[in-house]
């Protein structure tokens, strides 16, 4: 069986042939799946790091390696595959959860429960705090976008068809999901809003972004990336609301049970997206370049 073809920049430049779309159309279903994946990323990351007591350090390493494996599969695919794409989104959400926790938290009683002295093997966390951690992540995200801009490649998700642009896209996704986790944890733990209040605040801001889509002066690409970052704290606060104890304002459903239900929902949505993709795909993938 021949190896899957990798689309490089040379596949796009200097040719008049159609290239195959690698990323999904941005629709309402896209945002529903994004929120489900990020919520699952929060509960699954906490399941490994906290419930199973592997700790932030080991869990971050393990989940980052999983991210790399899923990313290689996505990059080597010849066309958009919902299972490949959303598996990478999920792996960035899980890795982003523990990466954020490792950066911002430490072994103090504030982050350890049941009288525990430590959480897993290795460093318990850098203890940078949410403001410092967010500042670092924002700087990284800005740097990625500056590099992206300098390449001259498009920021529009539906027009990303080259290997280099997709690699930059996934780098931005990983950092934005980590940043979103920090923002969500800050809203839940430190802002005084609580889990439900934080989720309502983010939902309100997202509603404003939807309204701005009708304003011609505001580029939709900018709104997309702002919304992409903000759906992560929405997932983080929703995940915390599902799993945290009643005394802390959560539903106390547990990380294992919540993760299992969310995984079933996400897999079902991926299956639906796969069926829809097969139904709407044009012969030989013509017309899938995302013409604006």
């Amino acid at each position: 069986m021949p190896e899957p073809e990798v689309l490089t920049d040379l596949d796009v430049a200097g040719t008049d042939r159609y290239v195959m779309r690698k990323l999904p159309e941005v629709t309402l279903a896209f945002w529903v799946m994004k929120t489900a994946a990020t919520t699952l990323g929060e509960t699954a990351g906490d399941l490994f790091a906290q419930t199973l007591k592997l700790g932030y350090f080991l869990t971050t390493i393990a989940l980052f390696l999983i991210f790399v494996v899923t990313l290689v599969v996505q990059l080597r695919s010849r066309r958009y595959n919902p299972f490949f794409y959303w598996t990478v989104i999920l792996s960035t959400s899980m890795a982003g959860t523990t990466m954020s926790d490792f950066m911002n938290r430490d072994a103090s009683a504030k982050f350890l429960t049941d009288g525990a002295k430590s959480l897993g093997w290795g460093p318990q966390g850098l203890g940078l705090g949410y403001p410092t951690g967010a500042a670092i992540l924002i700087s990284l995200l800005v740097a990625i976008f500056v590099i992206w801009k300098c390449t001259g490649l498009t920021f529009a998700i539906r027009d990303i068809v080259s290997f280099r642009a997709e690699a930059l896209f996934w780098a931005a996704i990983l950092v934005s999901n980590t940043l979103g986790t920090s923002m969500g944890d800050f809203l839940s733990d430190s802002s005084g809003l609580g889990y439900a209040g934080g989720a309502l605040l983010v939902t309100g801001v997202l509603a404003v972004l939807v309204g701005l889509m009708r304003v011609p002066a505001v580029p939709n690409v900018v709104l997309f990336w702002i919304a992409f970052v903000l759906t992560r704290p929405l997932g983080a606060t929703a995940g915390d609301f599902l799993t945290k104890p009643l005394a802390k304002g959560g539903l106390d459903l547990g990380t294992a049970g919540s993760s299992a239900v969310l995984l079933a929902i996400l897999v079902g949505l991926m299956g639906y997206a796969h069926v829809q993709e097969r139904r709407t795909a044009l012969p030989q993938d013509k017309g899938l370049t995302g013409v604006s």
Side-chain angles (χ1 to χ4, degrees):
M1 180 179 295
E3 290 291 325
E5 177 184 347
V6 177
L7 292 177
T8 66
D9 296 314
L10 295 178
D11 293 317
V12 180
T15 178
D16 58 358
R17 70 177 180 85
Y18 286 101
V19 293
M20 295 181 182
R21 181 167 57 90
K22 294 291 299 297
L23 303 177
E25 296 290 341
V26 180
T27 62
L28 177 61
F30 172 90
W31 292 113
V32 171
M33 294 180 70
K34 169 63 165 59
T35 303
T38 54
T39 305
L40 175 57
E42 177 73 15
T43 60
D46 288 345
L47 171 64
F48 291 115
Q50 299 177 24
T51 305
L52 299 181
K53 300 188 183 302
L54 296 179
Y56 303 130
F57 181 68
L58 286 181
T59 306
T60 296
I61 293 174
L63 293 180
F64 185 81
L65 291 176
I66 291 175
F67 158 69
V68 171
V69 172
T70 59
L71 179 60
V72 169
V73 173
Q74 165 67 20
L75 291 175
R76 288 178 62 82
S77 65
R78 295 182 66 247
R79 68 192 71 195
Y80 169 59
N81 183 303
F83 288 97
F84 294 167
Y85 175 85
W86 289 106
T87 299
V88 185
I89 292 291
L90 176 58
S91 67
T92 60
S93 297
M94 292 191 299
T97 296
T98 54
M99 288 168 63
S100 170
D101 289 344
F102 180 72
M103 290 177 62
N104 300 323
R105 299 181 176 184
D106 53 33
S108 64
K110 180 179 179 181
F111 301 116
L112 297 178
T113 59
D114 302 326
K117 299 293 185 181
S118 63
L119 188 64
W121 179 86
Q124 301 303 303
L126 301 178
L128 299 177
Y130 297 125
T132 301
I136 293 173
L137 292 167
I138 290 173
S139 299
L140 287 174
L141 191 58
V142 169
I144 291 172
F145 282 129
V146 168
I147 295 172
W148 197 339
K149 179 68 175 179
C150 291
T151 65
L153 298 170
T154 180
F155 287 104
I157 180 174
R158 64 183 178 180
D159 296 330
I160 293 176
V161 291
S162 71
F163 179 87
R164 183 166 54 161
E166 192 181 359
L168 288 167
F169 170 81
W170 287 115
I173 294 300
L174 178 63
V175 176
S176 66
N177 275 335
T178 308
L179 171 61
T181 301
S182 296
M183 294 172 61
D185 288 342
F186 171 76
L187 291 174
S188 298
D189 300 335
S190 304
S191 68
L193 294 174
Y195 306 123
L200 287 174
L201 174 62
V202 176
T203 301
V205 176
L206 289 172
V208 172
L209 295 179
V210 172
L212 289 175
M213 290 178 62
R214 300 183 179 276
V215 180
V218 182
N220 282 347
V221 171
V222 174
L223 295 177
F224 167 83
W225 282 105
I226 295 175
F228 203 99
V229 172
L230 288 178
T231 50
R232 184 64 186 99
L234 178 60
T237 51
D240 286 339
F241 180 64
L242 292 172
T243 59
K244 298 302 182 182
L246 295 174
K248 292 186 176 182
L251 296 180
D252 199 17
L253 299 180
T255 55
S258 298
S259 297
V261 172
L262 290 166
L263 178 60
I265 293 173
L266 184 59
V267 170
L269 291 172
M270 287 192 292
Y272 174 78
H274 182 69
V275 172
Q276 291 297 107
E277 181 69 19
R278 290 176 64 88
R279 287 179 178 175
T280 58
L282 297 178
Q284 298 180 354
D285 292 308
K286 290 186 177 182
L288 296 180
T289 54
V291 179
S292 59

